[in-house]
Amino acid sequence: MYIMTKDNSSVYRDVSRTIDQRVEDLLAQMTLEEKLAQLGSAWVYQVMPFEEKASEILGHGIGHITRIGGASNLLPLEATELANRIQRYLLEETRLGIPAIVHEECCSGYMARGATCFPQAIALASTWDPELAGRMAGVIREQMRAAGGHQGLSPVLDITRDPRWGRTEETFGEDPLLVAAMGVAYVRGLQGEDWDNRVVATLKHFAAHGMPDGGMNQNPVHVPERELREVFLLPFEAAVKEAGALSVMPAYHELDGIPCSASQELLTDILREQWGFDGTVVSDYVAIEQLRVPHYVADTKSDAAVAALEAGIDIELPGTDCYGDPLREALEQELIDIALIDKSVRRLLRMKFQLGLFENPYVDAGQVVASLDMPEHRALAREIAGKGIVLLKNEGDLLPLSQEIESIAVIGPNANSARHLLGDYAFPCHIETLIEMLEDNPLHHALPDPKLLQTNDIGIEVRPILEVLRDRLSSKTQIHYAQGCEVNSDSRVGFDEAVKAAGQAQVALLFLGDRSGLINACTSGETRDRVSIDLPGVQQELLEAVYATGTPVVVVLNTGRPVGVPWMDEHVPAILEMWQPGEEGAEAIADVLFGDVNPGGKLPITFPRHVGQIPTFYYHKPSGGRSHWKGPYVSFSNKPLYPFGYGLSYTKFELRNFRLGRDQMQAGESVTIQVDVTNVGSRDGDEVVQLYIRDEIATVARPVKELKGFRRVHLAAGETKTVTFTLYADQLAFYNREMKFVVEPGTVQIMVGTSSEDLPFTAPVEIMGNVTEISDKIFFSMSIVKS
């Protein structure tokens, strides 16, 4: 441990004092320049080379350092040494010695060279297993703290209803309860049990980011207040109240003309006053400047700074732009009071004291390599990837395949690409982004030295599927490989080779889908929105050409979003969705293809048949989901291709002996719901039992179904287990016409099954008593992992 050399006589340096006492003492000693510095941040590359840039960028202190690991190609040891160097400068060379918070991205793992690349969030959601989310976040916490990081910009709690939106892959899907459950577990895992090893979780993007106009990133969102609170805010509220989330990031878009980054209603009234949130609010990158352009609700950077600070944004990320000189100018012009600046500085200082950064600002750089991507971390990545794979179709039990098969064709643009297994917030994807930005803007002052970015070594092993299949198949198996086409190209020059390969094989495996990331070559990810939900490029034509050979076809989709290809469902006998499965994705899909792992994932989002159905989601209102009075579209079904909660297995399950503990209850009471689930097949496997409700008659229109509980259970062949849910009457509350959160008397249907469309058991429960206003929400019918 390093010992601070500065004078320890000040109250803020006295560890025996309360944190509030230390904060107030330090705040009283700070100059305006030092306060403004705490509200700002700097990219890691802005302080490099360190000898030249340190005093310029860090001379008055700094609030956050942005992505030491995630925005450079520094080796883990180098990055950690730089983190220590920055902290040493701040503690020993600045007047007050205030350390920095280092934040990093961690949507699918700590985004840094050498750290574990876990499956993308949509794959994690497909496990329907919050415990896995907690375990994954716990590994991220260990790796990030070992490398000198303190705050992770995750989880993404956006409810997504438009699969054209490229960021669909970063979300936990369409259902507020599922998103909340995964999010609460993630926050608990990331923040841990004690402050000594904590990583601050950052809830984003607050709020309703997942339903933009046209599916286009950052476009306006149109959602009424009742739906906003019941659906889009619910996961955030649960993460604040149930998991104690310590930071929130507003979304880029506007709601009814008010950008989220300038919304006092969202960031102060709801978040702080109604929910009791007492952490820090950080801006999304460049979001404060966006109040000026493109939102045009501020004329100058000073105006933007005032609007954001008054709304409730404490810290500007990723660099100091509007909260620096422009904020000082606003203060000098008396457009803002110093007390408001003090309020945000106070919040940040409190967090730094809570994290113990004044006493323990450094990490043991020599231990970081041993903390990253350990065998147990890779094993967890493989487990999540395998449990998140969804079997969409398996006609004639074509799967699993024998590893002794005589011949097999391996075809498709994602068959031999390790890069395409990764989600958009994986380390190499963001290095690509910075390189593209540098190429487009070579003179931009805020961009890094190219030497910080050029690397082909991401510090971990990621094997392409073809290589893993070659290892797993018998030495006698003939493997015929053909790429066939690129992910997003019009070229068909590889079709003949693919057709030839398929014609020589007993089975053709086609690995189709997306390349995720943020650069122009990508088809999924942030800023990579699509006008359709088809397979990109000529991949469907490739599929049809291979299918025409008569060889049985297995399609493995490697996408970040639902793909609506009815032809594929009608013709292809076996289809798997593997999403973006991360560094162990190839091993995980091989496990499933050969039956070492029985797929048990379920869809966390509806798969539309056609882009014209969007938005389509299972919990629509009774008047929705069909064209009155006919039902379907002209010449096209109104039904989804695959419903929410859907997923098959290599074995068969039966649900039996459904029972309710009571048929009447009132506010404050609960009902026990039980069902026996039996594996009636010959293979061990997992089933996800799902509990839905429907409020029959209410004073405002209620959804046709609402998920209220779920449980993933593992059953050996022939085994039976009883799944028990406790449903509280208070979970049935909603916002009435007066926008009061109430439980109303009436009949509620309880529905249990294995998807939103497969609900064989239904029974009514009568809600008795008077209309009852609920103050303390109950979010879950099941326990959510706490560590």
Side-chain angles (χ1 to χ4, degrees), residues 458-617:
I458 64 172
I460 57 172
E461 181 182 34
V462 186
R463 303 173 71 199
I465 296 168
L466 178 62
E467 179 182 322
V468 171
L469 292 178
R470 283 174 171 157
D471 287 349
R472 296 285 287 273
L473 286 162
S474 164
S475 59
K476 299 178 181 179
T477 301
Q478 292 185 327
I479 301 175
H480 306 281
Y481 167 68
Q483 179 176 331
C485 66
E486 299 285 348
V487 167
N488 195 29
S489 168
D490 293 333
S491 175
R492 299 166 180 79
V493 295
F495 278 28
D496 290 345
E497 184 182 7
V499 167
K500 179 181 178 182
Q504 295 173 309
Q506 288 178 283
V507 174
L509 299 179
L510 269 72
F511 295 91
L512 308 175
D514 287 313
R515 170 178 173 162
S516 176
L518 286 74
I519 66 172
N520 294 337
C522 294
T523 61
S524 180
E526 186 175 4
T527 75
R528 306 316 300 143
D529 313 311
R530 300 191 65 237
V531 74
S532 78
I533 55 172
D534 302 335
L535 289 164
V538 293
Q539 292 184 60
Q540 181 170 341
E541 293 180 41
L542 173 67
L543 169 59
E544 293 178 11
V546 170
Y547 175 81
T549 66
T551 300
V553 171
V554 176
V555 169
V556 180
L557 295 170
N558 175 200
T559 67
R561 59 198 165 78
V563 173
V565 184
W567 183 95
M568 181 168 60
D569 180 66
E570 292 168 7
H571 294 87
V572 173
I575 306 170
L576 287 158
E577 174 63 80
M578 68 184 296
W579 308 107
Q580 287 129 357
E583 66 181 42
E584 287 283 319
E587 288 78 5
I589 193 62
D591 290 341
V592 169
L593 287 171
F594 300 124
D596 298 320
V597 168
N598 188 348
K602 300 282 187 174
L603 295 180
I605 186 170
T606 301
F607 274 45
R609 291 180 179 274
H610 189 277
V611 70
Q613 286 180 284
I614 296 171
T616 180
F617 48 95

Side-chain angles (χ1 to χ4, degrees), residues 201-236:
T202 310
L203 312 181
K204 63 185 192 183
H205 307 88
F206 194 61
H209 197 35
M211 199 177 65
D213 279 352
M216 300 186 75
N217 197 45
Q218 301 185 20
N219 273 218
V221 171
H222 307 281
V223 58
E225 183 182 2
R226 181 175 290 102
E227 192 170 19
L228 177 69
R229 287 181 176 269
E230 291 183 355
V231 176
F232 295 95
L233 293 186
L234 185 140
F236 293 91

Side-chain angles (χ1 to χ4, degrees), residues 59-214:
H60 294 290
I62 198 79
H64 277 231
I65 296 293
T66 297
R67 287 163 48 184
I68 294 177
S72 74
N73 71 347
L74 295 173
L75 293 168
L77 178 61
E78 296 171 332
T80 307
E81 288 176 339
L82 178 59
N84 282 340
R85 197 173 182 185
I86 290 170
Q87 300 290 24
R88 187 175 297 110
Y89 179 91
L90 290 169
L91 268 75
E92 298 180 4
E93 302 298 328
T94 65
R95 189 177 74 91
L96 294 173
I98 304 173
I101 286 177
V102 176
H103 78 256
E104 301 280 1
E105 296 283 3
C106 58
C107 183
S108 55
Y110 167 35
M111 195 177 78
R113 189 173 179 183
T116 306
C117 283
F118 285 100
Q120 185 61 293
I122 196 73
L124 178 60
S126 298
T127 69
W128 287 59
D129 189 343
E131 182 184 5
L132 287 176
R135 288 169 58 196
M136 173 178 144
V139 171
I140 293 169
R141 168 170 45 84
E142 294 168 5
Q143 294 186 0
M144 194 181 297
R145 281 304 296 244
H150 314 107
Q151 181 159 345
L153 303 188
S154 277
V156 173
L157 298 185
D158 300 321
I159 303 292
T160 183
R161 288 183 178 174
D162 195 329
R164 296 173 298 178
W165 185 47
R167 304 194 77 171
T168 296
E169 65 181 66
E170 299 173 34
T171 77
F172 294 129
E174 75 179 42
D175 179 77
L177 181 83
L178 179 60
V179 173
M182 302 302 286
V184 164
Y186 186 102
V187 170
R188 286 176 173 164
L190 192 64
Q191 295 190 165
E193 294 292 330
D194 60 80
W195 280 98
D196 291 342
N197 299 296
R198 176 157 290 171
V199 167
V200 172
T202 310
L203 312 181
K204 63 185 192 183
H205 307 88
F206 194 61
H209 197 35
M211 199 177 65
D213 279 352

Side-chain angles (χ1 to χ4, degrees), residues 583-754:
E583 66 181 42
E584 287 283 319
E587 288 78 5
I589 193 62
D591 290 341
V592 169
L593 287 171
F594 300 124
D596 298 320
V597 168
N598 188 348
K602 300 282 187 174
L603 295 180
I605 186 170
T606 301
F607 274 45
R609 291 180 179 274
H610 189 277
V611 70
Q613 286 180 284
I614 296 171
T616 180
F617 48 95
Y618 84 90
Y619 53 93
H620 58 78
K621 297 298 177 61
S623 60
R626 66 190 189 279
S627 177
H628 295 273
W629 60 96
K630 298 288 188 183
Y633 294 95
V634 175
S635 303
F636 208 85
S637 173
N638 59 316
K639 301 297 183 182
L641 188 63
Y642 304 113
F644 173 83
Y646 171 83
L648 303 175
S649 171
Y650 294 155
T651 190
K652 301 294 183 184
F653 300 95
E654 288 185 3
L655 269 57
R656 304 167 177 158
N657 195 22
F658 170 74
R659 58 253 192 217
L660 294 179
R662 62 198 303 180
D663 59 10
Q664 293 182 340
M665 62 175 173
Q666 59 186 1
E669 297 179 342
S670 63
V671 58
T672 299
I673 302 154
Q674 292 184 306
V675 66
D676 297 338
V677 54
T678 302
N679 183 344
V680 297
S682 59
R683 292 176 175 270
D684 299 353
D686 290 8
E687 181 59 282
V688 179
V689 183
Q690 301 165 38
L691 167 67
Y692 296 82
I693 65 98
R694 181 175 68 251
D695 193 331
E696 294 281 9
I697 305 292
T699 56
V700 296
R702 304 305 302 153
V704 293
K705 296 166 192 167
E706 297 176 75
L707 183 70
K708 290 298 179 183
F710 58 89
R711 186 70 49 80
R712 181 167 180 152
V713 290
H714 179 78
L715 295 138
E719 184 180 9
T720 297
K721 289 183 178 178
T722 299
V723 173
T724 301
F725 297 105
T726 300
L727 179 66
Y728 297 89
D730 292 8
Q731 285 179 268
L732 309 176
F734 56 86
Y735 289 90
N736 67 7
R737 295 188 183 193
E738 291 75 40
M739 288 304 296
K740 295 180 179 179
F741 194 65
V742 301
V743 173
E744 288 186 350
T747 301
V748 173
Q749 293 293 335
I750 308 296
M751 298 171 281
V752 172
T754 57

Side-chain angles (χ1 to χ4, degrees), residues 323-481:
Y323 272 15
D325 290 338
L327 189 55
R328 183 195 303 105
E329 292 169 8
L331 191 64
E332 292 170 351
Q333 296 169 17
E334 298 184 348
L335 299 177
I336 198 168
D337 192 284
I338 188 65
L340 194 58
I341 292 174
D342 286 351
K343 184 183 294 186
S344 289
V345 175
R346 185 178 287 111
R347 289 168 182 156
L348 180 62
L349 293 178
R350 180 180 295 110
M351 184 167 288
K352 290 184 176 184
F353 280 115
Q354 288 172 319
L355 287 167
L357 296 184
F358 285 82
E359 292 71 49
N360 298 293
Y362 309 113
V363 290
D364 186 345
Q367 294 298 311
V368 67
V369 175
S371 303
L372 300 181
D373 207 36
M374 300 299 290
E376 58 268 29
H377 302 160
R378 297 191 69 97
L380 178 59
R382 185 168 179 169
E383 180 183 357
I384 295 171
K387 287 186 174 179
I389 292 171
V390 184
L391 180 62
L392 298 175
K393 189 178 181 183
N394 193 23
E395 193 173 85
D397 293 329
L398 178 57
L399 295 175
L401 302 173
S402 169
Q403 291 177 239
E404 305 296 322
I405 192 170
E406 292 181 7
S407 61
I408 195 167
V410 180
I411 299 168
N414 288 341
N416 196 28
S417 170
R419 162 64 180 78
H420 295 183
L421 297 173
L422 308 178
D424 68 338
Y425 269 63
F427 173 70
C429 304
H430 269 249
I431 294 299
E432 288 175 354
T433 305
L434 291 171
I435 291 172
E436 182 180 79
M437 291 169 61
L438 193 62
E439 291 170 346
D440 291 343
N441 303 278
L443 301 179
H444 197 295
H445 71 281
L447 291 175
D449 185 324
K451 290 180 292 184
L452 284 175
L453 303 179
Q454 301 296 340
T455 179
N456 293 318
D457 176 16
I458 64 172
I460 57 172
E461 181 182 34
V462 186
R463 303 173 71 199
I465 296 168
L466 178 62
E467 179 182 322
V468 171
L469 292 178
R470 283 174 171 157
D471 287 349
R472 296 285 287 273
L473 286 162
S474 164
S475 59
K476 299 178 181 179
T477 301
Q478 292 185 327
I479 301 175
H480 306 281
Y481 167 68

